[in-house]
Amino acid sequence: MINARARHALGAATLMVALASALLSCSGGPDTAPHTGASPSRDAPAAAPVTATEEPADPSTVAPSPGPAKVRDAFAVLQATYNDGCTTPGNCAYFLNRVLDNLDGLDAAMKADPQGPAHFEQPLAWIAGLRRELGDDRSFGNLKKHQDRLTGVRDRINAWMQGHPEDYR
């Protein structure tokens, strides 16, 4: 059983992650440089290894790693891209990277889901095909070239999920 202090600490940590995510998603404005491609989380340095002289933390006080998002949460984030688009050049780069990042997050959530990847065979195949087409090039030029494919995969997944409401409700 988690004591009240641990619950409070876990709740505070969750709130901080949510607030930080909200700030990052709102940080791009019309005067901000366009997103260059790589996700900031991919550039974060790895945590330093624990040395033999350090005492391990008490497991009852350490917040668990959240792992991949739930499918319904990752799908909701992807659906939010319907309210955005390539309306301006600076926003277009942000939008296309956002769709790609959201598809990557949904891919991870589907693979980690208790139903297993076989349940999400079609959406995972569509995302894998998109990745093959894009290759390692996350530049704006390449994403713009494949804009219809990016939004098409998003739309196909949306239609598939609408037929599987148990996965997102």
Side-chain angles (χ1 to χ4, degrees):
M1 182 191 292
I2 299 176
N3 65 30
R5 193 147 105 207
R7 266 195 317 266
H8 178 71
L10 182 59
T14 303
L15 178 60
M16 292 303 294
V17 169
L19 288 173
S21 297
L23 285 173
L24 285 174
S25 69
C26 295
S27 63
D31 298 318
T32 310
H35 188 275
T36 59
S39 172
S41 63
R42 292 185 185 146
D43 297 332
V50 175
T51 62
T53 60
E54 293 179 15
E55 298 266 338
D58 179 4
S60 66
T61 62
V62 176
S65 174
K70 291 184 177 183
V71 171
R72 71 162 192 250
D73 298 338
F75 178 56
V77 170
L78 181 65
Q79 280 187 307
T81 65
Y82 280 100
N83 297 322
D84 204 353
C86 282
T87 54
T88 63
N91 192 59
C92 191
Y94 165 76
F95 167 72
L96 296 174
N97 275 288
R98 179 178 168 201
V99 171
L100 184 57
D101 286 345
N102 293 169
L103 287 169
D104 288 345
L106 184 60
D107 179 82
M110 288 178 168
K111 288 177 179 174
D113 190 84
Q115 296 179 85
H119 177 72
F120 301 101
E121 183 177 357
Q122 286 181 308
L124 290 172
W126 299 328
I127 295 169
L130 174 65
R131 283 186 179 141
R132 279 191 303 276
E133 206 170 300
L134 292 173
D136 292 333
D137 186 358
R138 292 181 63 108
S139 69
F140 172 64
N142 193 44
L143 295 181
K144 182 68 176 158
K145 176 180 159 188
H146 294 94
Q147 178 178 346
D148 290 341
R149 180 87 161 111
L150 271 164
T151 56
V153 168
R154 176 199 62 187
D155 296 347
R156 287 179 80 184
I157 289 173
N158 183 56
W160 188 92
M161 291 293 285
Q162 297 303 324
H164 297 81
E166 70 280 2
D167 292 321
Y168 67 90
R169 290 190 179 151

